[in-house]
Amino acid sequence: PQPQPQPQQPLESSVQTPPAPDPRLVELFWNGAGETVNIAFECDDWAIQHPMKKCGAGVWHISKSLKTCCITQFKFIIDNVWRVSPDYDVVTVNGISNNVILPVILEWSDGGNDVAVRWEVDGWKASHALSKDTTSGVQVWSTTVAPCTRWTQFAFKFVVDGEWKVSSHYPTTGSGALENNTLTVTNNLPSNALLTDRQSERNSQ
């Protein structure tokens, strides 16, 4: 008997699917003078100095993946000098001052195939992609933002399939083309005692 031809294995596609945006990415900014600007985080044990990208006159930016709703301490390194920014809350533990943030989540659940958000924090310049989650049976897009203390309330707007839209799930301000959603930043920072206890736990590991 003649040997039967074996079925061919399907060829792997050479087209790479782009990774989904990380919903834990937060946008952080340094506003001020400096030739080189880096940032270090407590979650890295302060061991890594992440370079920030200049995005305007005296404005530097970085995207960092952080645990959602996780208290995070960080500090800027400006021309090799460690500094805190007045744009974020400051905590002092054992005589050492650091900036601190408590990220919050922005969500869009009103449909669409491509969802991003723009906000006045960076002058509406950047488009921040949202990631899609369907595990609950409802399509929800989300991203994480780390508010500055100088923005006790800031405006933002979703871009859905290229069209600027406001969400009915957030307060709005303005009208017509100038209508935007708003987010009020509340200070829910931990006490210094809690941060001291957490630092002691890290040191004992």
Short mmCIF file of all heavy atoms in Angstrom, two decimals, residues 9-74:
data_model
loop_
_atom_site.label_atom_id
_atom_site.label_comp_id
_atom_site.label_asym_id
_atom_site.label_seq_id
_atom_site.Cartn_x
_atom_site.Cartn_y
_atom_site.Cartn_z
N GLN A 9 1.27 20.74 9.12
CA GLN A 9 1.05 21.59 10.28
C GLN A 9 0.85 23.03 9.80
O GLN A 9 1.53 23.48 8.88
CB GLN A 9 2.24 21.54 11.25
CG GLN A 9 2.46 20.18 11.87
CD GLN A 9 1.32 19.78 12.77
OE1 GLN A 9 0.74 20.62 13.46
NE2 GLN A 9 0.97 18.51 12.75
N PRO A 10 -0.12 23.74 10.38
CA PRO A 10 -0.31 25.13 9.96
C PRO A 10 0.91 25.97 10.29
O PRO A 10 1.55 25.78 11.32
CB PRO A 10 -1.53 25.58 10.79
CG PRO A 10 -1.57 24.64 11.95
CD PRO A 10 -1.04 23.33 11.43
N LEU A 11 1.25 26.83 9.36
CA LEU A 11 2.38 27.70 9.55
C LEU A 11 2.06 28.76 10.60
O LEU A 11 0.95 29.27 10.66
CB LEU A 11 2.76 28.39 8.23
CG LEU A 11 3.24 27.45 7.11
CD1 LEU A 11 3.49 28.26 5.84
CD2 LEU A 11 4.51 26.70 7.52
N GLU A 12 3.06 29.04 11.43
CA GLU A 12 2.86 30.09 12.43
C GLU A 12 2.79 31.45 11.73
O GLU A 12 3.54 31.73 10.79
CB GLU A 12 4.01 30.09 13.44
CG GLU A 12 4.04 28.85 14.32
CD GLU A 12 5.10 28.97 15.38
OE1 GLU A 12 5.73 30.05 15.46
OE2 GLU A 12 5.30 28.00 16.13
N SER A 13 1.85 32.24 12.17
CA SER A 13 1.69 33.55 11.57
C SER A 13 2.88 34.43 11.91
O SER A 13 3.38 34.42 13.02
CB SER A 13 0.40 34.21 12.08
OG SER A 13 0.32 35.54 11.63
N SER A 14 3.34 35.14 10.89
CA SER A 14 4.45 36.06 11.11
C SER A 14 3.98 37.40 11.65
O SER A 14 4.77 38.26 11.99
CB SER A 14 5.22 36.29 9.80
OG SER A 14 4.36 36.84 8.82
N VAL A 15 2.64 37.56 11.72
CA VAL A 15 2.09 38.80 12.22
C VAL A 15 1.99 38.73 13.74
O VAL A 15 1.36 37.84 14.29
CB VAL A 15 0.70 39.07 11.62
CG1 VAL A 15 0.12 40.37 12.19
CG2 VAL A 15 0.78 39.15 10.10
N GLN A 16 2.66 39.62 14.39
CA GLN A 16 2.68 39.63 15.84
C GLN A 16 1.52 40.46 16.38
O GLN A 16 1.32 41.60 15.96
CB GLN A 16 4.01 40.19 16.37
CG GLN A 16 5.22 39.38 15.96
CD GLN A 16 5.22 37.98 16.58
OE1 GLN A 16 4.83 37.82 17.74
NE2 GLN A 16 5.64 37.00 15.82
N THR A 17 0.76 39.87 17.31
CA THR A 17 -0.33 40.61 17.93
C THR A 17 0.25 41.58 18.96
O THR A 17 1.00 41.16 19.84
CB THR A 17 -1.31 39.65 18.64
OG1 THR A 17 -1.81 38.73 17.68
CG2 THR A 17 -2.46 40.43 19.27
N PRO A 18 -0.05 42.85 18.83
CA PRO A 18 0.50 43.80 19.81
C PRO A 18 -0.01 43.50 21.20
O PRO A 18 -1.16 43.11 21.39
CB PRO A 18 0.00 45.16 19.31
CG PRO A 18 -1.21 44.84 18.48
CD PRO A 18 -0.95 43.50 17.88
N PRO A 19 0.85 43.63 22.22
CA PRO A 19 0.40 43.37 23.59
C PRO A 19 -0.64 44.37 24.04
O PRO A 19 -0.64 45.52 23.60
CB PRO A 19 1.69 43.51 24.41
CG PRO A 19 2.56 44.42 23.58
CD PRO A 19 2.23 44.11 22.15
N ALA A 20 -1.54 43.90 24.90
CA ALA A 20 -2.57 44.80 25.44
C ALA A 20 -1.92 45.80 26.38
O ALA A 20 -0.95 45.49 27.07
CB ALA A 20 -3.63 44.00 26.19
N PRO A 21 -2.41 47.02 26.42
CA PRO A 21 -1.84 48.00 27.35
C PRO A 21 -2.02 47.56 28.79
O PRO A 21 -3.00 46.91 29.14
CB PRO A 21 -2.63 49.28 27.04
CG PRO A 21 -3.89 48.81 26.37
CD PRO A 21 -3.51 47.57 25.63
N ASP A 22 -1.06 47.88 29.61
CA ASP A 22 -1.08 47.49 31.01
C ASP A 22 -1.95 48.46 31.80
O ASP A 22 -1.66 49.65 31.87
CB ASP A 22 0.35 47.52 31.57
CG ASP A 22 0.46 46.89 32.94
OD1 ASP A 22 -0.56 46.81 33.64
OD2 ASP A 22 1.57 46.47 33.31
N PRO A 23 -3.05 47.96 32.42
CA PRO A 23 -3.93 48.88 33.14
C PRO A 23 -3.30 49.47 34.38
O PRO A 23 -3.85 50.40 34.98
CB PRO A 23 -5.12 47.99 33.51
CG PRO A 23 -4.55 46.61 33.58
CD PRO A 23 -3.51 46.56 32.51
N ARG A 24 -2.13 48.95 34.79
CA ARG A 24 -1.49 49.48 35.99
C ARG A 24 -0.51 50.61 35.69
O ARG A 24 0.11 51.15 36.60
CB ARG A 24 -0.76 48.35 36.71
CG ARG A 24 -1.62 47.17 37.11
CD ARG A 24 -0.76 46.00 37.55
NE ARG A 24 0.14 45.60 36.49
CZ ARG A 24 1.15 44.74 36.66
NH1 ARG A 24 1.39 44.23 37.85
NH2 ARG A 24 1.93 44.41 35.65
N LEU A 25 -0.34 50.94 34.40
CA LEU A 25 0.59 52.00 34.06
C LEU A 25 0.09 53.34 34.59
O LEU A 25 -1.05 53.72 34.39
CB LEU A 25 0.76 52.09 32.54
CG LEU A 25 1.72 51.10 31.89
CD1 LEU A 25 1.71 51.29 30.38
CD2 LEU A 25 3.13 51.25 32.44
N VAL A 26 0.96 54.05 35.28
CA VAL A 26 0.64 55.39 35.74
C VAL A 26 1.60 56.37 35.10
O VAL A 26 2.75 56.04 34.78
CB VAL A 26 0.69 55.51 37.28
CG1 VAL A 26 -0.34 54.63 37.93
CG2 VAL A 26 2.08 55.16 37.81
N GLU A 27 1.12 57.57 34.86
CA GLU A 27 1.92 58.62 34.24
C GLU A 27 2.43 59.56 35.33
O GLU A 27 1.65 60.08 36.12
CB GLU A 27 1.06 59.40 33.24
CG GLU A 27 0.22 58.53 32.33
CD GLU A 27 1.04 57.77 31.32
OE1 GLU A 27 2.14 58.25 30.97
OE2 GLU A 27 0.59 56.70 30.88
N LEU A 28 3.74 59.76 35.38
CA LEU A 28 4.34 60.64 36.38
C LEU A 28 5.14 61.73 35.67
O LEU A 28 5.75 61.47 34.62
CB LEU A 28 5.24 59.86 37.32
CG LEU A 28 4.53 58.83 38.22
CD1 LEU A 28 5.54 57.93 38.89
CD2 LEU A 28 3.66 59.52 39.25
N PHE A 29 5.16 62.93 36.27
CA PHE A 29 5.78 64.08 35.63
C PHE A 29 6.70 64.81 36.61
O PHE A 29 6.42 64.88 37.81
CB PHE A 29 4.71 65.06 35.13
CG PHE A 29 3.81 64.50 34.07
CD1 PHE A 29 2.67 63.79 34.41
CD2 PHE A 29 4.10 64.69 32.73
CE1 PHE A 29 1.84 63.26 33.43
CE2 PHE A 29 3.28 64.18 31.74
CZ PHE A 29 2.15 63.47 32.09
N TRP A 30 7.78 65.35 36.07
CA TRP A 30 8.61 66.31 36.79
C TRP A 30 8.48 67.64 36.07
O TRP A 30 8.69 67.73 34.85
CB TRP A 30 10.07 65.88 36.85
CG TRP A 30 10.98 66.97 37.33
CD1 TRP A 30 11.75 67.82 36.57
CD2 TRP A 30 11.20 67.36 38.69
NE1 TRP A 30 12.43 68.70 37.37
CE2 TRP A 30 12.12 68.44 38.68
CE3 TRP A 30 10.72 66.89 39.92
CZ2 TRP A 30 12.55 69.06 39.84
CZ3 TRP A 30 11.14 67.51 41.08
CH2 TRP A 30 12.06 68.58 41.04
N ASN A 31 8.13 68.68 36.80
CA ASN A 31 8.01 70.02 36.25
C ASN A 31 9.07 70.90 36.90
O ASN A 31 8.97 71.21 38.09
CB ASN A 31 6.62 70.60 36.51
CG ASN A 31 5.52 69.82 35.80
OD1 ASN A 31 5.24 70.06 34.63
ND2 ASN A 31 4.91 68.88 36.51
N GLY A 32 10.08 71.28 36.15
CA GLY A 32 11.12 72.12 36.72
C GLY A 32 12.41 72.01 35.93
O GLY A 32 12.50 71.33 34.90
N ALA A 33 13.43 72.69 36.42
CA ALA A 33 14.73 72.71 35.75
C ALA A 33 15.44 71.39 35.91
O ALA A 33 15.14 70.59 36.80
CB ALA A 33 15.57 73.87 36.29
N GLY A 34 16.42 71.16 35.04
CA GLY A 34 17.23 69.96 35.12
C GLY A 34 17.73 69.54 33.75
O GLY A 34 17.02 69.67 32.76
N GLU A 35 18.97 69.05 33.71
CA GLU A 35 19.53 68.53 32.47
C GLU A 35 19.24 67.05 32.31
O GLU A 35 18.94 66.58 31.21
CB GLU A 35 21.05 68.78 32.44
CG GLU A 35 21.43 70.26 32.40
CD GLU A 35 20.95 70.95 31.13
OE1 GLU A 35 20.95 70.29 30.06
OE2 GLU A 35 20.57 72.14 31.21
N THR A 36 19.34 66.30 33.39
CA THR A 36 18.97 64.88 33.39
C THR A 36 18.01 64.64 34.56
O THR A 36 18.25 65.11 35.68
CB THR A 36 20.20 63.97 33.55
OG1 THR A 36 20.87 64.27 34.78
CG2 THR A 36 21.16 64.18 32.38
N VAL A 37 16.94 63.92 34.28
CA VAL A 37 15.91 63.66 35.29
C VAL A 37 15.63 62.17 35.33
O VAL A 37 15.26 61.57 34.32
CB VAL A 37 14.61 64.44 34.99
CG1 VAL A 37 13.57 64.13 36.05
CG2 VAL A 37 14.89 65.94 34.92
N ASN A 38 15.82 61.57 36.49
CA ASN A 38 15.50 60.17 36.73
C ASN A 38 14.51 60.08 37.88
O ASN A 38 14.26 61.06 38.60
CB ASN A 38 16.76 59.35 37.05
CG ASN A 38 17.76 59.35 35.91
OD1 ASN A 38 17.37 59.33 34.74
ND2 ASN A 38 19.03 59.38 36.24
N ILE A 39 13.97 58.88 38.07
CA ILE A 39 13.03 58.65 39.18
C ILE A 39 13.30 57.27 39.76
O ILE A 39 13.63 56.33 39.03
CB ILE A 39 11.57 58.80 38.69
CG1 ILE A 39 10.60 58.76 39.87
CG2 ILE A 39 11.23 57.76 37.65
CD1 ILE A 39 9.16 59.10 39.48
N ALA A 40 13.19 57.14 41.08
CA ALA A 40 13.38 55.87 41.77
C ALA A 40 12.16 55.57 42.62
O ALA A 40 11.49 56.49 43.11
CB ALA A 40 14.65 55.90 42.63
N PHE A 41 11.86 54.27 42.80
CA PHE A 41 10.66 53.84 43.49
C PHE A 41 11.00 52.92 44.68
O PHE A 41 11.95 52.13 44.62
CB PHE A 41 9.74 53.08 42.54
CG PHE A 41 9.20 53.92 41.41
CD1 PHE A 41 9.91 54.03 40.23
CD2 PHE A 41 7.99 54.58 41.54
CE1 PHE A 41 9.42 54.80 39.18
CE2 PHE A 41 7.49 55.35 40.50
CZ PHE A 41 8.21 55.46 39.32
N GLU A 42 10.19 53.04 45.69
CA GLU A 42 10.32 52.15 46.85
C GLU A 42 10.15 50.69 46.44
O GLU A 42 10.82 49.80 46.97
CB GLU A 42 9.29 52.53 47.90
CG GLU A 42 9.26 51.63 49.13
CD GLU A 42 8.01 51.82 49.95
OE1 GLU A 42 7.02 52.35 49.43
OE2 GLU A 42 8.02 51.41 51.13
N CYS A 43 9.23 50.42 45.48
CA CYS A 43 8.96 49.04 45.09
C CYS A 43 10.17 48.40 44.41
O CYS A 43 10.24 47.17 44.29
CB CYS A 43 7.74 48.96 44.18
SG CYS A 43 7.82 50.00 42.71
N ASP A 44 11.13 49.21 43.96
CA ASP A 44 12.39 48.69 43.42
C ASP A 44 13.50 48.73 44.46
O ASP A 44 14.68 48.59 44.11
CB ASP A 44 12.84 49.52 42.20
CG ASP A 44 11.88 49.41 41.03
OD1 ASP A 44 11.25 48.35 40.89
OD2 ASP A 44 11.77 50.38 40.26
N ASP A 45 13.14 48.95 45.72
CA ASP A 45 14.12 49.12 46.80
C ASP A 45 15.07 50.28 46.51
O ASP A 45 16.23 50.26 46.96
CB ASP A 45 14.91 47.83 47.03
CG ASP A 45 14.05 46.74 47.63
OD1 ASP A 45 13.18 47.05 48.46
OD2 ASP A 45 14.23 45.56 47.25
N TRP A 46 14.59 51.27 45.74
CA TRP A 46 15.34 52.48 45.42
C TRP A 46 16.62 52.17 44.62
O TRP A 46 17.48 53.03 44.48
CB TRP A 46 15.71 53.26 46.68
CG TRP A 46 14.55 53.54 47.57
CD1 TRP A 46 14.23 52.92 48.74
CD2 TRP A 46 13.52 54.54 47.37
NE1 TRP A 46 13.08 53.45 49.29
CE2 TRP A 46 12.62 54.45 48.46
CE3 TRP A 46 13.29 55.49 46.38
CZ2 TRP A 46 11.52 55.28 48.59
CZ3 TRP A 46 12.18 56.32 46.50
CH2 TRP A 46 11.31 56.21 47.60
N ALA A 47 16.75 50.96 44.11
CA ALA A 47 18.00 50.53 43.48
C ALA A 47 18.11 50.93 42.01
O ALA A 47 19.20 50.95 41.45
CB ALA A 47 18.16 49.01 43.60
N ILE A 48 16.98 51.23 41.37
CA ILE A 48 16.97 51.52 39.94
C ILE A 48 16.57 52.98 39.72
O ILE A 48 15.55 53.43 40.23
CB ILE A 48 15.99 50.60 39.19
CG1 ILE A 48 16.32 49.13 39.45
CG2 ILE A 48 16.00 50.90 37.69
CD1 ILE A 48 15.30 48.17 38.87
N GLN A 49 17.38 53.67 38.95
CA GLN A 49 17.04 55.03 38.56
C GLN A 49 16.50 55.00 37.13
O GLN A 49 17.24 54.76 36.17
CB GLN A 49 18.26 55.96 38.65
CG GLN A 49 18.77 56.15 40.08
CD GLN A 49 19.82 57.25 40.17
OE1 GLN A 49 19.98 58.07 39.27
NE2 GLN A 49 20.55 57.26 41.29
N HIS A 50 15.19 55.21 37.00
CA HIS A 50 14.53 55.14 35.70
C HIS A 50 14.64 56.50 35.01
O HIS A 50 14.18 57.51 35.56
CB HIS A 50 13.06 54.76 35.86
CG HIS A 50 12.84 53.48 36.61
ND1 HIS A 50 12.76 52.26 35.98
CD2 HIS A 50 12.69 53.23 37.93
CE1 HIS A 50 12.56 51.31 36.88
NE2 HIS A 50 12.51 51.88 38.07
N PRO A 51 15.19 56.56 33.81
CA PRO A 51 15.28 57.85 33.11
C PRO A 51 13.91 58.34 32.67
O PRO A 51 13.07 57.56 32.22
CB PRO A 51 16.17 57.55 31.91
CG PRO A 51 16.04 56.07 31.69
CD PRO A 51 15.81 55.46 33.04
N MET A 52 13.67 59.63 32.83
CA MET A 52 12.44 60.24 32.39
C MET A 52 12.67 60.95 31.05
O MET A 52 13.77 61.40 30.76
CB MET A 52 11.92 61.23 33.44
CG MET A 52 11.64 60.58 34.79
SD MET A 52 10.89 61.72 36.00
CE MET A 52 9.22 61.90 35.32
N LYS A 53 11.63 61.01 30.24
CA LYS A 53 11.72 61.58 28.90
C LYS A 53 11.23 63.03 28.91
O LYS A 53 10.15 63.32 29.42
CB LYS A 53 10.89 60.75 27.91
CG LYS A 53 10.97 61.24 26.48
CD LYS A 53 10.16 60.35 25.56
CE LYS A 53 10.21 60.84 24.12
NZ LYS A 53 9.41 59.97 23.21
N LYS A 54 12.01 63.90 28.30
CA LYS A 54 11.61 65.30 28.21
C LYS A 54 10.50 65.44 27.18
O LYS A 54 10.63 65.00 26.03
CB LYS A 54 12.80 66.17 27.83
CG LYS A 54 12.55 67.66 28.03
CD LYS A 54 13.84 68.47 27.87
CE LYS A 54 13.62 69.93 28.23
NZ LYS A 54 14.87 70.72 28.13
N CYS A 55 9.39 66.06 27.58
CA CYS A 55 8.24 66.17 26.68
C CYS A 55 7.81 67.62 26.51
O CYS A 55 6.71 67.89 26.02
CB CYS A 55 7.07 65.32 27.17
SG CYS A 55 6.48 65.71 28.82
N GLY A 56 8.66 68.56 26.91
CA GLY A 56 8.34 69.98 26.78
C GLY A 56 9.33 70.79 27.58
O GLY A 56 10.23 70.24 28.24
N ALA A 57 9.22 72.10 27.52
CA ALA A 57 10.13 72.97 28.26
C ALA A 57 9.94 72.77 29.76
O ALA A 57 8.90 73.13 30.31
CB ALA A 57 9.88 74.42 27.88
N GLY A 58 10.94 72.17 30.40
CA GLY A 58 10.87 71.97 31.84
C GLY A 58 9.89 70.90 32.27
O GLY A 58 9.51 70.87 33.45
N VAL A 59 9.47 70.01 31.37
CA VAL A 59 8.51 68.96 31.71
C VAL A 59 9.10 67.60 31.30
O VAL A 59 9.51 67.42 30.16
CB VAL A 59 7.15 69.16 31.01
CG1 VAL A 59 6.18 68.05 31.40
CG2 VAL A 59 6.57 70.52 31.35
N TRP A 60 9.12 66.68 32.27
CA TRP A 60 9.66 65.34 32.03
C TRP A 60 8.59 64.33 32.40
O TRP A 60 7.77 64.55 33.29
CB TRP A 60 10.91 65.12 32.88
CG TRP A 60 11.99 66.13 32.62
CD1 TRP A 60 12.00 67.44 33.01
CD2 TRP A 60 13.20 65.92 31.91
NE1 TRP A 60 13.15 68.05 32.59
CE2 TRP A 60 13.92 67.15 31.91
CE3 TRP A 60 13.79 64.82 31.29
CZ2 TRP A 60 15.16 67.30 31.31
CZ3 TRP A 60 15.03 64.96 30.69
CH2 TRP A 60 15.70 66.18 30.70
N HIS A 61 8.61 63.17 31.74
CA HIS A 61 7.51 62.21 31.86
C HIS A 61 8.05 60.78 31.89
O HIS A 61 9.08 60.46 31.29
CB HIS A 61 6.55 62.37 30.68
CG HIS A 61 5.61 61.22 30.48
ND1 HIS A 61 5.86 60.20 29.58
CD2 HIS A 61 4.44 60.92 31.09
CE1 HIS A 61 4.88 59.33 29.63
NE2 HIS A 61 4.01 59.74 30.53
N ILE A 62 7.30 59.91 32.61
CA ILE A 62 7.58 58.47 32.57
C ILE A 62 6.28 57.72 32.81
O ILE A 62 5.38 58.20 33.52
CB ILE A 62 8.63 58.07 33.63
CG1 ILE A 62 9.12 56.64 33.39
CG2 ILE A 62 8.08 58.22 35.05
CD1 ILE A 62 10.29 56.23 34.28
N SER A 63 6.15 56.54 32.19
CA SER A 63 5.07 55.61 32.48
C SER A 63 5.65 54.47 33.30
O SER A 63 6.68 53.89 32.92
CB SER A 63 4.44 55.07 31.20
OG SER A 63 3.85 56.10 30.45
N LYS A 64 5.00 54.13 34.39
CA LYS A 64 5.52 53.08 35.28
C LYS A 64 4.39 52.14 35.66
O LYS A 64 3.29 52.57 36.00
CB LYS A 64 6.11 53.73 36.54
CG LYS A 64 6.53 52.76 37.65
CD LYS A 64 7.70 51.89 37.27
CE LYS A 64 8.16 51.04 38.48
NZ LYS A 64 9.23 50.09 38.13
N SER A 65 4.65 50.84 35.58
CA SER A 65 3.66 49.84 35.96
C SER A 65 3.69 49.65 37.47
O SER A 65 4.71 49.27 38.05
CB SER A 65 3.96 48.51 35.27
OG SER A 65 3.00 47.54 35.63
N LEU A 66 2.57 49.96 38.10
CA LEU A 66 2.45 49.84 39.56
C LEU A 66 1.22 49.02 39.90
O LEU A 66 0.28 48.93 39.11
CB LEU A 66 2.32 51.22 40.20
CG LEU A 66 3.46 52.21 39.95
CD1 LEU A 66 3.09 53.57 40.52
CD2 LEU A 66 4.74 51.72 40.59
N LYS A 67 1.20 48.44 41.06
CA LYS A 67 0.03 47.70 41.51
C LYS A 67 -1.13 48.68 41.70
O LYS A 67 -0.99 49.70 42.35
CB LYS A 67 0.31 46.97 42.82
CG LYS A 67 1.31 45.83 42.68
CD LYS A 67 1.52 45.12 44.01
CE LYS A 67 2.51 43.97 43.87
NZ LYS A 67 2.73 43.29 45.17
N THR A 68 -2.27 48.34 41.11
CA THR A 68 -3.43 49.21 41.19
C THR A 68 -3.82 49.46 42.65
O THR A 68 -3.90 48.53 43.45
CB THR A 68 -4.62 48.59 40.44
OG1 THR A 68 -4.22 48.36 39.09
CG2 THR A 68 -5.82 49.50 40.47
N CYS A 69 -4.06 50.73 42.97
CA CYS A 69 -4.48 51.14 44.31
C CYS A 69 -3.44 50.77 45.37
O CYS A 69 -3.78 50.53 46.52
CB CYS A 69 -5.84 50.56 44.67
SG CYS A 69 -7.16 51.13 43.60
N CYS A 70 -2.18 50.70 44.96
CA CYS A 70 -1.11 50.41 45.92
C CYS A 70 -0.38 51.70 46.26
O CYS A 70 0.01 52.45 45.37
CB CYS A 70 -0.14 49.40 45.32
SG CYS A 70 1.28 49.03 46.37
N ILE A 71 -0.20 51.96 47.54
CA ILE A 71 0.53 53.15 47.97
C ILE A 71 1.99 53.02 47.51
O ILE A 71 2.63 52.00 47.73
CB ILE A 71 0.48 53.29 49.49
CG1 ILE A 71 -0.97 53.42 49.96
CG2 ILE A 71 1.31 54.47 49.97
CD1 ILE A 71 -1.16 53.13 51.42
N THR A 72 2.49 54.04 46.85
CA THR A 72 3.82 53.97 46.26
C THR A 72 4.62 55.21 46.62
O THR A 72 4.16 56.33 46.39
CB THR A 72 3.75 53.84 44.73
OG1 THR A 72 3.02 52.66 44.40
CG2 THR A 72 5.13 53.77 44.12
N GLN A 73 5.81 55.00 47.17
CA GLN A 73 6.72 56.11 47.42
C GLN A 73 7.74 56.19 46.29
O GLN A 73 8.15 55.17 45.73
CB GLN A 73 7.45 55.93 48.76
CG GLN A 73 6.55 56.04 49.98
CD GLN A 73 7.35 56.06 51.27
OE1 GLN A 73 8.09 57.00 51.53
NE2 GLN A 73 7.20 55.03 52.07
N PHE A 74 8.14 57.40 45.95
CA PHE A 74 9.12 57.59 44.88
C PHE A 74 9.85 58.90 45.11
O PHE A 74 9.45 59.73 45.95
CB PHE A 74 8.44 57.57 43.50
CG PHE A 74 7.39 58.63 43.33
CD1 PHE A 74 7.66 59.81 42.67
CD2 PHE A 74 6.10 58.43 43.82
CE1 PHE A 74 6.68 60.79 42.50
CE2 PHE A 74 5.11 59.40 43.66
CZ PHE A 74 5.41 60.58 43.00
#
